[in-house]
Amino acid sequence: MLPTLKAKARVMPSYCLLSKLLSPTLSFSSVFAATAAAAPITSPFTLRRPSPTPPRLPLWALRRPGSVSTRSLPLPASSRGLSSEGGMGDQDVSYLSQKDAAEIDEILMGPLGFSVDQLMELAGLSVATSIPEVYRLSEYSRVLAICGPGNNGGDGLVAARHLHHFGYKPFVCYPKRTPKPLYTGLVTQLESLSVPFLSVGDLPQNLSDDFDLIVDAMFGFSFHGQPRPPFDVLIQRLASLSGIDNGFKRKVAIVSVDVPSGWHVEEGDISGEGIKPDMLVSLTAPKLCAKKFIGPHHFLGGRFVPPSIVHKYGLNLPPYPGTSMCVRIGKLPSVDVSSLRENYISPELLEDQVMADPVDQFHKWFDEAVAAGLQEPNAMALSTCGREGKPSSRMVLLKGADKQGFVWYTNYGSRKARELSENPHASLLFFWNPLHRQVRVEGAVQKVSDEESERYFHSRPRGSQLGAGASKQSTVLAGRHVLYQVFKDLEERYSDGSLIPRPEYWGGYRLTPTVFEFWQGQPSRLHDRLQYSLREGDGKQVWHIESMEWCRVWFY
C-alpha cells in the first residue's frame, strides 16, 4: 500500500508515480475537506458488534476487490468518487423563480411526456443518493422522513423506500395522507418493507433521542400561505433542534427536499426563525430561496432536465459526475481542525479479559476487524529510523503474522529498506477506527528467507508481479511515461504466461515483537491501554501485561 499524499517536489520517486497511476491525484486540502464533510466527527460512534469470527484467511490472501489479476497497468480514469467533482460555485448556478419552476413542471409533464410518478421517483432517488454522500450509514442509520400531502411529500416517501434498500432504518411521519393511487401505492410499498409509520403523537419530545437524521419533505415550491396543523408544529420542532444541547450527542441532521418547509420559495426564511437544514437537496434546479441557504451541504438532484428546457430558461447547471443522481453545489465546507473530535463509546479493555499471549490477542482483534467488514484491516503504518535519527513512516500491508513475527514485502532499495539496514528496529501501528482500536507493535527486523519471498511473490496477481519489476522505489524518473513503458515491456515479455522471476531487489521483512500495546477508545478520552512486554522469568522470556493508566490523564 503506497502513500497517496506527498509533498510537491521537482522530482518524483517512481513508487509515488506508480501510486498516481492507480488513483486520481487529490490535493491534501480537498481530501481533508472531503473526508471531514463525509464524516462529521462530532458524532459518537456506535460500535459494530462483529459477527461470529469466520475461518481465518492467510494474510497474504487479503486483497481489495478487483485486484485478483491485471493484464495491463491501470490508467487514471474518471469515476464517481466525490459528488463535489463536477460541481460549481453557488454564484454560478441558475436559480428558478416559483413561476418558472411551475412552468418547467408543466412542460415536463405535458409535451415532454413525463408522468408525475416518474418525476417523483427520480426526485426521491436523487434525495436518497445525496444523503450517503455526507451522512454515513454507520452513524446516521435512523432516519425520520416527515412527509406532507403534496408532491414534496411523495418525494420523501420515495426517498424513504430507497434509503431502506441502502441499509438505513427509515421511519415515516405522514399525518395528512393523500387518497390518490400514486400516494397510497407508495405507502403500500413502504408497509411491505415493514417501514414504521408514526403519528405526530408517537414522535419523541426530543427528536434527537430516537433519530440521527430527519428528511424534511413537507412542502415544496408550489406551497403558498402559512402552514396549518400539524405541520406548523412540526416545522417549529425542526427549527428548534439547532438550539438543543445534547452534551456528548451530536445534533440530529436535517435534510430539506427542494425547499425548507415554511420558507418563502423566493425570499427564504423571512422571519429568521424557520428550519435551518444541514443539507438542501434542490430538484431540477435550485429555487431562489436556496441563495439564503447557509448550511454546509447543498446538492442538486433530478437528472432528467432535457436540453430544450436548459436552453429555454437559460439554465446553468453543474454536470453530474459519472452515473450519479446528485451533484454538490458550491465548495466543501471549511474545517476547523481543532474542533474535530469523537467521543468513543466502547467496551472496556481489562487485563483479566485479554489473552496471555499478545499474538493471540492480536489475531482475536484482527479477526473481529475482518468480520466487521473494515477495508484493508491489514494496513499498517511502518515507522523506521536510519543512522541520522530522522524517523519516517508509510503505510504497508501485513502479509503474515504468527509467533515468529509480522511480515510485509517491499523493495529492498526503498528508503525504509535503507533505514532498516542502518537500524534494524521498527514500529508497526494498526488503526481500526470503526472499532475504536489501535495496536502498536515494536521489535527487531530482519529479512525473510529467499524461499519465503519467492512463495509469496508468485502468489500475487500477475499485474502486481509485473509492477514489482517495473518500479524501483525511491529512485527518480524522468516522467511517468518511463514507468508505463517499462511495465509495458515486461508485460509483452511475459505475455505467453511464463513464470515472472522475482526481482532480486524485492522481498520480505519480519518484525519480531518485543512490545505490544492494545488501545481501546473510551468516553471523555479515558482510553484503555494495555501493554505487553517481554521479561525474563524462570530462565525464559515471558509476556508481562501492564495497564497504561497515565494515558487516562494525558492522552488527548
Side-chain angles (χ1 to χ4, degrees), residues 205-320:
Q205 186 63 34
N206 182 359
L207 295 173
S208 298
D209 290 341
D210 288 19
F211 306 108
D212 308 306
L213 185 146
I214 297 174
V215 177
D216 158 34
M218 288 179 273
F219 301 115
F221 70 82
S222 61
F223 180 77
H224 296 271
Q226 294 296 319
R228 291 180 291 184
F231 297 106
D232 55 348
V233 174
L234 289 169
I235 290 173
Q236 290 174 8
R237 293 186 66 180
L238 294 193
S240 67
L241 283 175
S242 60
I244 295 178
D245 182 5
N246 295 311
F248 281 130
K249 292 181 62 178
R250 49 118 172 90
K251 180 176 76 71
V252 62
I254 299 176
V255 177
S256 287
V257 178
D258 204 22
V259 176
S261 296
W263 281 29
H264 188 282
V265 179
E266 297 183 355
E267 299 178 25
D269 182 17
I270 297 175
S271 68
E273 299 178 354
I275 297 174
K276 295 175 176 58
D278 304 278
M279 174 189 281
L280 174 62
V281 183
S282 294
L283 299 173
T284 307
K287 312 309 177 284
L288 283 170
C289 66
K291 290 186 175 182
K292 307 295 178 66
F293 172 67
I294 59 173
H297 309 293
H298 187 188
F299 282 78
L300 176 64
R303 193 173 184 173
F304 49 74
V305 182
S308 59
I309 287 182
V310 172
H311 296 149
K312 177 179 175 63
Y313 290 89
L315 299 181
N316 186 27
L317 302 176
Y320 288 83

Side-chain angles (χ1 to χ4, degrees), residues 520-529 551-553 555-556:
Q520 180 77 67
Q522 296 295 349
S524 301
R525 296 297 185 259
L526 302 179
H527 308 309
D528 290 324
R529 291 170 65 189
C551 75
R552 297 182 180 274
V553 178
F555 193 87
Y556 290 97

Side-chain angles (χ1 to χ4, degrees), residues 390-436:
K390 298 178 180 179
S392 63
S393 298
R394 76 287 294 157
M395 299 301 296
V396 297
L397 294 177
L398 178 69
K399 290 301 176 180
D402 54 26
K403 302 294 185 181
Q404 282 67 51
F406 290 67
V407 176
W408 68 92
Y409 293 86
T410 188
N411 188 304
Y412 286 150
S414 62
R415 175 178 174 177
K416 53 184 170 293
R418 291 197 299 270
E419 292 178 345
L420 286 171
S421 68
E422 298 171 359
N423 177 12
H425 296 84
S427 174
L428 308 175
L429 175 64
F430 298 85
F431 180 49
W432 300 314
N433 185 48
L435 300 179
H436 308 156

Side-chain angles (χ1 to χ4, degrees), residues 83 85-88 303 317-321 327:
S83 283
E85 294 178 6
M88 60 173 59
R303 193 173 184 173
L317 302 176
Y320 288 83
V327 59

Side-chain angles (χ1 to χ4, degrees), residues 9 70 93 144:
T70 56
V93 74
L144 173 64

